[in-house]
Amino acid sequence: MALSLALVAALAVDAVLGEPRRGHPLALFGRCAERLEARANRGRRRDGWVAMLCLVVPPVLIVGAIAAVLPPVLAWGVAAIMLTFAVGRAGLIEHAEAVARPLVAGDLEQARRRVAWLVSRDATRLDASGVRVALLESVLENASDAVFASLFWFVAGGVVAGPAGAAAAVIAHRLVNTLDAMWGYRTPRFARFGWAAARLDDGLNWPAARLTAALFALVGDTRAALACWRAQASQWSSPNAGPVMAAGAGALGIRLGGGAWYHGAWCERPILGGRRSPDDVDVVRALALADRALAVLVVGVLVLARVSEASYP
């Protein structure tokens, strides 16, 4: 039960306080990663492996060790704090609204500037429809990466190794995911150096992506979500974004995907979801879909914790 209470507490703090405006640990981590990459990137995969391990292993060991030596109540408090820093629900909403507001107001240039913070495609070439599609794809994918994956690893680590495991697992996932966001590009600079972070991030996000897709199907248009997941997910280049975005688009009844510009080159991408082009209200619907899925997950964790407590008093 302590695990579920820590999870709920972390989500509550994230909802009330949102992302820190200054001094976020991930921002400091990102600056360290930038400096190390500038020094260590010689275009070799092994350099990427070494850099990733140097950045990820020490904080994971430190956080896990601190939680391991504290009394259980304090240890779960540490784990909850780590989850608060890792989970990104409030940030997801904030960044989505920062794009949606100027888009609705007709300020396409501002919408392009803000969506460029979220996606790697060339935002300067996007029309209003392209900005909307990019935003919705980001909302669905980041709901999996920044919310459900963090919760998955927090619960998995907590079940296996208590509060120390929960704290270490959620921080490990979030740091690897951050490095993938910084280095995981198929560009001359990062194609080899970022390979390790990208592949490890794919592995860590694999179970959470399937969980997210299943939850989207459960709380949205179930039949359409499952049909799109089954028929379209394997066509997508990312093994995790494919199921999430296909199921999410199907659950919402909208069409995502299609061609886009990446790093100066046109990239043909498959169509995901249904036939209807998304409109502005679909951004609100996508955030609501993610929140319903989150509510189901939290209730499920609470119920399982209660059943486990009753079975093993």
Side-chain angles (χ1 to χ4, degrees), residues 21 90-112 114-115 117-118 128 131-132 135 139 279-281 283-284 287:
R21 299 296 180 184
L92 177 67
I93 295 171
E94 179 181 340
H95 291 303
E97 290 178 344
V99 179
R101 281 194 297 267
L103 192 60
V104 171
D107 188 350
L108 181 58
E109 288 305 314
Q110 176 67 1
R112 284 170 171 167
R114 296 309 294 259
V115 83
W117 297 6
L118 306 179
V131 170
R132 198 175 294 117
L135 174 58
V139 166
D279 53 33
D280 291 327
V281 75
V283 177
V284 178
L287 292 170

PDB file of all heavy atoms in Angstrom, residues 21 90-112 114-115 117-118 128 131-132 135 139 279-281 283-284 287:
ATOM      1  N   ARG A  21      10.017  25.924 -12.401  1.00  0.00           N
ATOM      2  CA  ARG A  21      10.454  26.915 -13.387  1.00  0.00           C
ATOM      3  C   ARG A  21      11.968  27.033 -13.421  1.00  0.00           C
ATOM      4  O   ARG A  21      12.553  27.342 -14.465  1.00  0.00           O
ATOM      5  CB  ARG A  21       9.837  28.278 -13.050  1.00  0.00           C
ATOM      6  CG  ARG A  21       8.310  28.287 -13.084  1.00  0.00           C
ATOM      7  CD  ARG A  21       7.802  28.015 -14.470  1.00  0.00           C
ATOM      8  NE  ARG A  21       6.351  28.009 -14.520  1.00  0.00           N
ATOM      9  CZ  ARG A  21       5.647  27.722 -15.603  1.00  0.00           C
ATOM     10  NH1 ARG A  21       6.272  27.405 -16.718  1.00  0.00           N
ATOM     11  NH2 ARG A  21       4.320  27.735 -15.581  1.00  0.00           N
ATOM     12  N   ALA A  90       1.944  17.258 -15.867  1.00  0.00           N
ATOM     13  CA  ALA A  90       1.731  18.707 -15.865  1.00  0.00           C
ATOM     14  C   ALA A  90       2.504  19.375 -16.993  1.00  0.00           C
ATOM     15  O   ALA A  90       1.989  20.287 -17.659  1.00  0.00           O
ATOM     16  CB  ALA A  90       2.139  19.296 -14.515  1.00  0.00           C
ATOM     17  N   GLY A  91       3.730  18.920 -17.234  1.00  0.00           N
ATOM     18  CA  GLY A  91       4.512  19.481 -18.321  1.00  0.00           C
ATOM     19  C   GLY A  91       3.895  19.187 -19.676  1.00  0.00           C
ATOM     20  O   GLY A  91       3.930  20.033 -20.584  1.00  0.00           O
ATOM     21  N   LEU A  92       3.342  17.988 -19.837  1.00  0.00           N
ATOM     22  CA  LEU A  92       2.681  17.623 -21.087  1.00  0.00           C
ATOM     23  C   LEU A  92       1.529  18.581 -21.380  1.00  0.00           C
ATOM     24  O   LEU A  92       1.389  19.082 -22.505  1.00  0.00           O
ATOM     25  CB  LEU A  92       2.171  16.179 -20.988  1.00  0.00           C
ATOM     26  CG  LEU A  92       1.390  15.643 -22.184  1.00  0.00           C
ATOM     27  CD1 LEU A  92       2.302  15.506 -23.398  1.00  0.00           C
ATOM     28  CD2 LEU A  92       0.764  14.284 -21.844  1.00  0.00           C
ATOM     29  N   ILE A  93       0.706  18.846 -20.377  1.00  0.00           N
ATOM     30  CA  ILE A  93      -0.421  19.761 -20.555  1.00  0.00           C
ATOM     31  C   ILE A  93       0.067  21.171 -20.855  1.00  0.00           C
ATOM     32  O   ILE A  93      -0.448  21.855 -21.761  1.00  0.00           O
ATOM     33  CB  ILE A  93      -1.315  19.752 -19.299  1.00  0.00           C
ATOM     34  CG1 ILE A  93      -1.946  18.374 -19.112  1.00  0.00           C
ATOM     35  CG2 ILE A  93      -2.393  20.828 -19.387  1.00  0.00           C
ATOM     36  CD1 ILE A  93      -2.658  18.197 -17.791  1.00  0.00           C
ATOM     37  N   GLU A  94       1.069  21.619 -20.126  1.00  0.00           N
ATOM     38  CA  GLU A  94       1.595  22.973 -20.309  1.00  0.00           C
ATOM     39  C   GLU A  94       2.132  23.184 -21.719  1.00  0.00           C
ATOM     40  O   GLU A  94       1.842  24.186 -22.378  1.00  0.00           O
ATOM     41  CB  GLU A  94       2.684  23.235 -19.277  1.00  0.00           C
ATOM     42  CG  GLU A  94       3.319  24.607 -19.377  1.00  0.00           C
ATOM     43  CD  GLU A  94       4.420  24.823 -18.354  1.00  0.00           C
ATOM     44  OE1 GLU A  94       4.443  24.082 -17.343  1.00  0.00           O
ATOM     45  OE2 GLU A  94       5.257  25.716 -18.578  1.00  0.00           O
ATOM     46  N   HIS A  95       2.928  22.229 -22.199  1.00  0.00           N
ATOM     47  CA  HIS A  95       3.514  22.365 -23.533  1.00  0.00           C
ATOM     48  C   HIS A  95       2.447  22.249 -24.621  1.00  0.00           C
ATOM     49  O   HIS A  95       2.551  22.946 -25.650  1.00  0.00           O
ATOM     50  CB  HIS A  95       4.597  21.313 -23.736  1.00  0.00           C
ATOM     51  CG  HIS A  95       5.814  21.526 -22.892  1.00  0.00           C
ATOM     52  ND1 HIS A  95       6.550  22.702 -22.931  1.00  0.00           N
ATOM     53  CD2 HIS A  95       6.437  20.739 -21.980  1.00  0.00           C
ATOM     54  CE1 HIS A  95       7.569  22.629 -22.093  1.00  0.00           C
ATOM     55  NE2 HIS A  95       7.516  21.452 -21.499  1.00  0.00           N
ATOM     56  N   ALA A  96       1.448  21.396 -24.418  1.00  0.00           N
ATOM     57  CA  ALA A  96       0.375  21.282 -25.404  1.00  0.00           C
ATOM     58  C   ALA A  96      -0.421  22.578 -25.499  1.00  0.00           C
ATOM     59  O   ALA A  96      -0.747  23.053 -26.596  1.00  0.00           O
ATOM     60  CB  ALA A  96      -0.544  20.118 -25.042  1.00  0.00           C
ATOM     61  N   GLU A  97      -0.727  23.169 -24.358  1.00  0.00           N
ATOM     62  CA  GLU A  97      -1.482  24.418 -24.358  1.00  0.00           C
ATOM     63  C   GLU A  97      -0.682  25.562 -24.970  1.00  0.00           C
ATOM     64  O   GLU A  97      -1.251  26.465 -25.598  1.00  0.00           O
ATOM     65  CB  GLU A  97      -1.900  24.768 -22.932  1.00  0.00           C
ATOM     66  CG  GLU A  97      -2.960  23.829 -22.364  1.00  0.00           C
ATOM     67  CD  GLU A  97      -3.328  24.147 -20.937  1.00  0.00           C
ATOM     68  OE1 GLU A  97      -2.566  24.899 -20.282  1.00  0.00           O
ATOM     69  OE2 GLU A  97      -4.371  23.642 -20.461  1.00  0.00           O
ATOM     70  N   ALA A  98       0.649  25.529 -24.804  1.00  0.00           N
ATOM     71  CA  ALA A  98       1.491  26.585 -25.371  1.00  0.00           C
ATOM     72  C   ALA A  98       1.459  26.578 -26.895  1.00  0.00           C
ATOM     73  O   ALA A  98       1.696  27.613 -27.529  1.00  0.00           O
ATOM     74  CB  ALA A  98       2.920  26.423 -24.882  1.00  0.00           C
ATOM     75  N   VAL A  99       1.181  25.426 -27.500  1.00  0.00           N
ATOM     76  CA  VAL A  99       1.024  25.350 -28.951  1.00  0.00           C
ATOM     77  C   VAL A  99      -0.425  25.610 -29.347  1.00  0.00           C
ATOM     78  O   VAL A  99      -0.704  26.321 -30.322  1.00  0.00           O
ATOM     79  CB  VAL A  99       1.461  23.967 -29.473  1.00  0.00           C
ATOM     80  CG1 VAL A  99       1.276  23.880 -30.991  1.00  0.00           C
ATOM     81  CG2 VAL A  99       2.908  23.683 -29.104  1.00  0.00           C
ATOM     82  N   ALA A 100      -1.359  25.049 -28.596  1.00  0.00           N
ATOM     83  CA  ALA A 100      -2.776  25.127 -28.968  1.00  0.00           C
ATOM     84  C   ALA A 100      -3.323  26.547 -28.908  1.00  0.00           C
ATOM     85  O   ALA A 100      -4.125  26.944 -29.753  1.00  0.00           O
ATOM     86  CB  ALA A 100      -3.594  24.202 -28.061  1.00  0.00           C
ATOM     87  N   ARG A 101      -2.895  27.324 -27.910  1.00  0.00           N
ATOM     88  CA  ARG A 101      -3.445  28.682 -27.768  1.00  0.00           C
ATOM     89  C   ARG A 101      -3.154  29.563 -28.981  1.00  0.00           C
ATOM     90  O   ARG A 101      -4.077  30.159 -29.558  1.00  0.00           O
ATOM     91  CB  ARG A 101      -2.924  29.320 -26.473  1.00  0.00           C
ATOM     92  CG  ARG A 101      -3.653  28.859 -25.225  1.00  0.00           C
ATOM     93  CD  ARG A 101      -3.340  29.765 -24.036  1.00  0.00           C
ATOM     94  NE  ARG A 101      -1.926  29.729 -23.684  1.00  0.00           N
ATOM     95  CZ  ARG A 101      -1.406  28.910 -22.782  1.00  0.00           C
ATOM     96  NH1 ARG A 101      -2.185  28.058 -22.129  1.00  0.00           N
ATOM     97  NH2 ARG A 101      -0.105  28.933 -22.506  1.00  0.00           N
ATOM     98  N   PRO A 102      -1.905  29.703 -29.416  1.00  0.00           N
ATOM     99  CA  PRO A 102      -1.678  30.523 -30.609  1.00  0.00           C
ATOM    100  C   PRO A 102      -2.275  29.913 -31.872  1.00  0.00           C
ATOM    101  O   PRO A 102      -2.672  30.640 -32.791  1.00  0.00           O
ATOM    102  CB  PRO A 102      -0.148  30.608 -30.705  1.00  0.00           C
ATOM    103  CG  PRO A 102       0.362  29.468 -29.898  1.00  0.00           C
ATOM    104  CD  PRO A 102      -0.640  29.260 -28.807  1.00  0.00           C
ATOM    105  N   LEU A 103      -2.364  28.597 -31.927  1.00  0.00           N
ATOM    106  CA  LEU A 103      -2.961  27.948 -33.097  1.00  0.00           C
ATOM    107  C   LEU A 103      -4.434  28.329 -33.219  1.00  0.00           C
ATOM    108  O   LEU A 103      -4.911  28.684 -34.299  1.00  0.00           O
ATOM    109  CB  LEU A 103      -2.799  26.436 -32.983  1.00  0.00           C
ATOM    110  CG  LEU A 103      -3.107  25.609 -34.236  1.00  0.00           C
ATOM    111  CD1 LEU A 103      -2.207  26.014 -35.390  1.00  0.00           C
ATOM    112  CD2 LEU A 103      -2.939  24.121 -33.930  1.00  0.00           C
ATOM    113  N   VAL A 104      -5.148  28.277 -32.110  1.00  0.00           N
ATOM    114  CA  VAL A 104      -6.567  28.662 -32.116  1.00  0.00           C
ATOM    115  C   VAL A 104      -6.717  30.148 -32.431  1.00  0.00           C
ATOM    116  O   VAL A 104      -7.660  30.564 -33.130  1.00  0.00           O
ATOM    117  CB  VAL A 104      -7.212  28.327 -30.752  1.00  0.00           C
ATOM    118  CG1 VAL A 104      -8.613  28.921 -30.653  1.00  0.00           C
ATOM    119  CG2 VAL A 104      -7.257  26.819 -30.543  1.00  0.00           C
ATOM    120  N   ALA A 105      -5.779  30.962 -31.951  1.00  0.00           N
ATOM    121  CA  ALA A 105      -5.849  32.411 -32.170  1.00  0.00           C
ATOM    122  C   ALA A 105      -5.410  32.815 -33.575  1.00  0.00           C
ATOM    123  O   ALA A 105      -5.491  34.000 -33.926  1.00  0.00           O
ATOM    124  CB  ALA A 105      -4.993  33.124 -31.132  1.00  0.00           C
ATOM    125  N   GLY A 106      -4.928  31.859 -34.362  1.00  0.00           N
ATOM    126  CA  GLY A 106      -4.494  32.170 -35.719  1.00  0.00           C
ATOM    127  C   GLY A 106      -3.056  32.640 -35.828  1.00  0.00           C
ATOM    128  O   GLY A 106      -2.635  33.094 -36.899  1.00  0.00           O
ATOM    129  N   ASP A 107      -2.289  32.558 -34.755  1.00  0.00           N
ATOM    130  CA  ASP A 107      -0.884  32.965 -34.765  1.00  0.00           C
ATOM    131  C   ASP A 107      -0.026  31.759 -35.144  1.00  0.00           C
ATOM    132  O   ASP A 107       0.550  31.078 -34.293  1.00  0.00           O
ATOM    133  CB  ASP A 107      -0.497  33.509 -33.387  1.00  0.00           C
ATOM    134  CG  ASP A 107       0.895  34.127 -33.373  1.00  0.00           C
ATOM    135  OD1 ASP A 107       1.626  33.975 -34.367  1.00  0.00           O
ATOM    136  OD2 ASP A 107       1.254  34.752 -32.353  1.00  0.00           O
ATOM    137  N   LEU A 108       0.063  31.503 -36.441  1.00  0.00           N
ATOM    138  CA  LEU A 108       0.739  30.304 -36.917  1.00  0.00           C
ATOM    139  C   LEU A 108       2.231  30.334 -36.607  1.00  0.00           C
ATOM    140  O   LEU A 108       2.822  29.298 -36.263  1.00  0.00           O
ATOM    141  CB  LEU A 108       0.514  30.145 -38.427  1.00  0.00           C
ATOM    142  CG  LEU A 108       1.145  28.910 -39.078  1.00  0.00           C
ATOM    143  CD1 LEU A 108       0.648  27.626 -38.426  1.00  0.00           C
ATOM    144  CD2 LEU A 108       0.847  28.908 -40.580  1.00  0.00           C
ATOM    145  N   GLU A 109       2.861  31.492 -36.700  1.00  0.00           N
ATOM    146  CA  GLU A 109       4.293  31.572 -36.440  1.00  0.00           C
ATOM    147  C   GLU A 109       4.623  31.186 -35.001  1.00  0.00           C
ATOM    148  O   GLU A 109       5.587  30.457 -34.743  1.00  0.00           O
ATOM    149  CB  GLU A 109       4.804  32.990 -36.744  1.00  0.00           C
ATOM    150  CG  GLU A 109       4.857  33.308 -38.225  1.00  0.00           C
ATOM    151  CD  GLU A 109       5.682  32.305 -39.009  1.00  0.00           C
ATOM    152  OE1 GLU A 109       6.806  31.970 -38.556  1.00  0.00           O
ATOM    153  OE2 GLU A 109       5.213  31.839 -40.056  1.00  0.00           O
ATOM    154  N   GLN A 110       3.839  31.684 -34.058  1.00  0.00           N
ATOM    155  CA  GLN A 110       4.078  31.325 -32.659  1.00  0.00           C
ATOM    156  C   GLN A 110       3.806  29.846 -32.427  1.00  0.00           C
ATOM    157  O   GLN A 110       4.551  29.180 -31.698  1.00  0.00           O
ATOM    158  CB  GLN A 110       3.194  32.179 -31.733  1.00  0.00           C
ATOM    159  CG  GLN A 110       3.295  31.836 -30.256  1.00  0.00           C
ATOM    160  CD  GLN A 110       4.658  32.156 -29.652  1.00  0.00           C
ATOM    161  OE1 GLN A 110       5.556  32.660 -30.330  1.00  0.00           O
ATOM    162  NE2 GLN A 110       4.817  31.865 -28.374  1.00  0.00           N
ATOM    163  N   ALA A 111       2.754  29.330 -33.051  1.00  0.00           N
ATOM    164  CA  ALA A 111       2.452  27.899 -32.914  1.00  0.00           C
ATOM    165  C   ALA A 111       3.592  27.056 -33.471  1.00  0.00           C
ATOM    166  O   ALA A 111       3.970  26.030 -32.890  1.00  0.00           O
ATOM    167  CB  ALA A 111       1.146  27.570 -33.622  1.00  0.00           C
ATOM    168  N   ARG A 112       4.167  27.485 -34.597  1.00  0.00           N
ATOM    169  CA  ARG A 112       5.307  26.767 -35.160  1.00  0.00           C
ATOM    170  C   ARG A 112       6.503  26.788 -34.214  1.00  0.00           C
ATOM    171  O   ARG A 112       7.176  25.766 -34.020  1.00  0.00           O
ATOM    172  CB  ARG A 112       5.711  27.402 -36.494  1.00  0.00           C
ATOM    173  CG  ARG A 112       4.801  27.081 -37.670  1.00  0.00           C
ATOM    174  CD  ARG A 112       5.165  27.968 -38.844  1.00  0.00           C
ATOM    175  NE  ARG A 112       4.480  27.571 -40.067  1.00  0.00           N
ATOM    176  CZ  ARG A 112       4.433  28.325 -41.165  1.00  0.00           C
ATOM    177  NH1 ARG A 112       5.035  29.522 -41.169  1.00  0.00           N
ATOM    178  NH2 ARG A 112       3.805  27.907 -42.228  1.00  0.00           N
ATOM    179  N   ARG A 114       6.539  27.095 -30.995  1.00  0.00           N
ATOM    180  CA  ARG A 114       6.336  26.286 -29.796  1.00  0.00           C
ATOM    181  C   ARG A 114       6.293  24.795 -30.104  1.00  0.00           C
ATOM    182  O   ARG A 114       6.779  23.987 -29.320  1.00  0.00           O
ATOM    183  CB  ARG A 114       5.039  26.710 -29.092  1.00  0.00           C
ATOM    184  CG  ARG A 114       5.048  28.139 -28.571  1.00  0.00           C
ATOM    185  CD  ARG A 114       6.286  28.435 -27.720  1.00  0.00           C
ATOM    186  NE  ARG A 114       6.323  27.675 -26.499  1.00  0.00           N
ATOM    187  CZ  ARG A 114       5.997  28.138 -25.300  1.00  0.00           C
ATOM    188  NH1 ARG A 114       5.587  29.386 -25.166  1.00  0.00           N
ATOM    189  NH2 ARG A 114       6.081  27.381 -24.234  1.00  0.00           N
ATOM    190  N   VAL A 115       5.734  24.412 -31.233  1.00  0.00           N
ATOM    191  CA  VAL A 115       5.705  22.975 -31.546  1.00  0.00           C
ATOM    192  C   VAL A 115       7.101  22.471 -31.881  1.00  0.00           C
ATOM    193  O   VAL A 115       7.401  21.275 -31.704  1.00  0.00           O
ATOM    194  CB  VAL A 115       4.711  22.673 -32.695  1.00  0.00           C
ATOM    195  CG1 VAL A 115       5.332  22.906 -34.077  1.00  0.00           C
ATOM    196  CG2 VAL A 115       4.192  21.238 -32.592  1.00  0.00           C
ATOM    197  N   TRP A 117       9.623  22.929 -30.183  1.00  0.00           N
ATOM    198  CA  TRP A 117      10.213  22.461 -28.931  1.00  0.00           C
ATOM    199  C   TRP A 117       9.858  21.004 -28.650  1.00  0.00           C
ATOM    200  O   TRP A 117      10.524  20.346 -27.841  1.00  0.00           O
ATOM    201  CB  TRP A 117       9.718  23.316 -27.759  1.00  0.00           C
ATOM    202  CG  TRP A 117      10.098  24.764 -27.817  1.00  0.00           C
ATOM    203  CD1 TRP A 117      10.728  25.416 -28.838  1.00  0.00           C
ATOM    204  CD2 TRP A 117       9.883  25.744 -26.802  1.00  0.00           C
ATOM    205  NE1 TRP A 117      10.899  26.744 -28.532  1.00  0.00           N
ATOM    206  CE2 TRP A 117      10.394  26.978 -27.282  1.00  0.00           C
ATOM    207  CE3 TRP A 117       9.296  25.709 -25.549  1.00  0.00           C
ATOM    208  CZ2 TRP A 117      10.335  28.150 -26.538  1.00  0.00           C
ATOM    209  CZ3 TRP A 117       9.240  26.884 -24.812  1.00  0.00           C
ATOM    210  CH2 TRP A 117       9.764  28.090 -25.293  1.00  0.00           C
ATOM    211  N   LEU A 118       8.812  20.510 -29.296  1.00  0.00           N
ATOM    212  CA  LEU A 118       8.276  19.193 -28.971  1.00  0.00           C
ATOM    213  C   LEU A 118       8.630  18.124 -29.990  1.00  0.00           C
ATOM    214  O   LEU A 118       8.615  16.939 -29.654  1.00  0.00           O
ATOM    215  CB  LEU A 118       6.744  19.262 -28.852  1.00  0.00           C
ATOM    216  CG  LEU A 118       6.162  20.305 -27.890  1.00  0.00           C
ATOM    217  CD1 LEU A 118       4.635  20.249 -27.930  1.00  0.00           C
ATOM    218  CD2 LEU A 118       6.666  20.071 -26.478  1.00  0.00           C
ATOM    219  N   ALA A 128      -1.131  25.110 -40.560  1.00  0.00           N
ATOM    220  CA  ALA A 128      -1.879  24.920 -39.317  1.00  0.00           C
ATOM    221  C   ALA A 128      -2.234  23.456 -39.105  1.00  0.00           C
ATOM    222  O   ALA A 128      -2.139  22.936 -37.987  1.00  0.00           O
ATOM    223  CB  ALA A 128      -3.140  25.779 -39.327  1.00  0.00           C
ATOM    224  N   VAL A 131       0.888  21.600 -37.952  1.00  0.00           N
ATOM    225  CA  VAL A 131       1.194  21.881 -36.546  1.00  0.00           C
ATOM    226  C   VAL A 131       0.278  21.059 -35.644  1.00  0.00           C
ATOM    227  O   VAL A 131       0.717  20.482 -34.639  1.00  0.00           O
ATOM    228  CB  VAL A 131       1.037  23.383 -36.246  1.00  0.00           C
ATOM    229  CG1 VAL A 131       1.122  23.643 -34.743  1.00  0.00           C
ATOM    230  CG2 VAL A 131       2.095  24.184 -36.980  1.00  0.00           C
ATOM    231  N   ARG A 132      -0.990  20.994 -36.006  1.00  0.00           N
ATOM    232  CA  ARG A 132      -1.962  20.255 -35.190  1.00  0.00           C
ATOM    233  C   ARG A 132      -1.607  18.769 -35.136  1.00  0.00           C
ATOM    234  O   ARG A 132      -1.656  18.144 -34.070  1.00  0.00           O
ATOM    235  CB  ARG A 132      -3.361  20.472 -35.766  1.00  0.00           C
ATOM    236  CG  ARG A 132      -4.490  20.140 -34.829  1.00  0.00           C
ATOM    237  CD  ARG A 132      -5.818  20.507 -35.469  1.00  0.00           C
ATOM    238  NE  ARG A 132      -5.947  21.952 -35.639  1.00  0.00           N
ATOM    239  CZ  ARG A 132      -6.049  22.567 -36.818  1.00  0.00           C
ATOM    240  NH1 ARG A 132      -6.029  21.860 -37.936  1.00  0.00           N
ATOM    241  NH2 ARG A 132      -6.169  23.875 -36.872  1.00  0.00           N
ATOM    242  N   LEU A 135       1.487  18.265 -32.989  1.00  0.00           N
ATOM    243  CA  LEU A 135       1.167  18.403 -31.563  1.00  0.00           C
ATOM    244  C   LEU A 135       0.460  17.164 -31.037  1.00  0.00           C
ATOM    245  O   LEU A 135       0.806  16.651 -29.962  1.00  0.00           O
ATOM    246  CB  LEU A 135       0.300  19.645 -31.352  1.00  0.00           C
ATOM    247  CG  LEU A 135      -0.239  19.849 -29.936  1.00  0.00           C
ATOM    248  CD1 LEU A 135       0.889  19.927 -28.920  1.00  0.00           C
ATOM    249  CD2 LEU A 135      -1.110  21.104 -29.872  1.00  0.00           C
ATOM    250  N   VAL A 139       1.635  14.692 -28.081  1.00  0.00           N
ATOM    251  CA  VAL A 139       0.838  14.459 -26.874  1.00  0.00           C
ATOM    252  C   VAL A 139       0.689  12.965 -26.615  1.00  0.00           C
ATOM    253  O   VAL A 139       0.907  12.489 -25.490  1.00  0.00           O
ATOM    254  CB  VAL A 139      -0.540  15.129 -27.000  1.00  0.00           C
ATOM    255  CG1 VAL A 139      -1.494  14.616 -25.922  1.00  0.00           C
ATOM    256  CG2 VAL A 139      -0.406  16.649 -26.888  1.00  0.00           C
ATOM    257  N   ASP A 279      -8.996  18.528 -35.631  1.00  0.00           N
ATOM    258  CA  ASP A 279      -9.217  19.957 -35.468  1.00  0.00           C
ATOM    259  C   ASP A 279      -8.738  20.373 -34.081  1.00  0.00           C
ATOM    260  O   ASP A 279      -8.206  19.561 -33.324  1.00  0.00           O
ATOM    261  CB  ASP A 279     -10.687  20.334 -35.703  1.00  0.00           C
ATOM    262  CG  ASP A 279     -11.653  19.506 -34.867  1.00  0.00           C
ATOM    263  OD1 ASP A 279     -11.275  19.136 -33.726  1.00  0.00           O
ATOM    264  OD2 ASP A 279     -12.769  19.226 -35.320  1.00  0.00           O
ATOM    265  N   ASP A 280      -8.947  21.647 -33.744  1.00  0.00           N
ATOM    266  CA  ASP A 280      -8.380  22.169 -32.497  1.00  0.00           C
ATOM    267  C   ASP A 280      -8.920  21.469 -31.257  1.00  0.00           C
ATOM    268  O   ASP A 280      -8.190  21.275 -30.286  1.00  0.00           O
ATOM    269  CB  ASP A 280      -8.642  23.673 -32.399  1.00  0.00           C
ATOM    270  CG  ASP A 280      -7.851  24.462 -33.430  1.00  0.00           C
ATOM    271  OD1 ASP A 280      -6.730  24.039 -33.753  1.00  0.00           O
ATOM    272  OD2 ASP A 280      -8.357  25.483 -33.924  1.00  0.00           O
ATOM    273  N   VAL A 281     -10.170  21.084 -31.260  1.00  0.00           N
ATOM    274  CA  VAL A 281     -10.751  20.459 -30.073  1.00  0.00           C
ATOM    275  C   VAL A 281     -10.138  19.084 -29.814  1.00  0.00           C
ATOM    276  O   VAL A 281     -10.189  18.576 -28.684  1.00  0.00           O
ATOM    277  CB  VAL A 281     -12.289  20.362 -30.212  1.00  0.00           C
ATOM    278  CG1 VAL A 281     -12.692  19.253 -31.183  1.00  0.00           C
ATOM    279  CG2 VAL A 281     -12.941  20.120 -28.855  1.00  0.00           C
ATOM    280  N   VAL A 283      -7.091  18.352 -29.604  1.00  0.00           N
ATOM    281  CA  VAL A 283      -5.991  18.483 -28.634  1.00  0.00           C
ATOM    282  C   VAL A 283      -6.530  18.297 -27.221  1.00  0.00           C
ATOM    283  O   VAL A 283      -5.960  17.573 -26.398  1.00  0.00           O
ATOM    284  CB  VAL A 283      -5.290  19.841 -28.771  1.00  0.00           C
ATOM    285  CG1 VAL A 283      -4.194  19.981 -27.714  1.00  0.00           C
ATOM    286  CG2 VAL A 283      -4.718  20.013 -30.170  1.00  0.00           C
ATOM    287  N   VAL A 284      -7.659  18.932 -26.939  1.00  0.00           N
ATOM    288  CA  VAL A 284      -8.306  18.769 -25.635  1.00  0.00           C
ATOM    289  C   VAL A 284      -8.744  17.320 -25.451  1.00  0.00           C
ATOM    290  O   VAL A 284      -8.579  16.741 -24.360  1.00  0.00           O
ATOM    291  CB  VAL A 284      -9.511  19.718 -25.509  1.00  0.00           C
ATOM    292  CG1 VAL A 284     -10.225  19.520 -24.181  1.00  0.00           C
ATOM    293  CG2 VAL A 284      -9.073  21.168 -25.668  1.00  0.00           C
ATOM    294  N   LEU A 287      -5.689  15.083 -24.594  1.00  0.00           N
ATOM    295  CA  LEU A 287      -5.287  15.224 -23.197  1.00  0.00           C
ATOM    296  C   LEU A 287      -6.280  14.542 -22.263  1.00  0.00           C
ATOM    297  O   LEU A 287      -5.884  13.918 -21.273  1.00  0.00           O
ATOM    298  CB  LEU A 287      -5.153  16.705 -22.846  1.00  0.00           C
ATOM    299  CG  LEU A 287      -3.993  17.450 -23.517  1.00  0.00           C
ATOM    300  CD1 LEU A 287      -4.108  18.943 -23.276  1.00  0.00           C
ATOM    301  CD2 LEU A 287      -2.641  16.934 -23.029  1.00  0.00           C
TER     302      LEU A 287
END
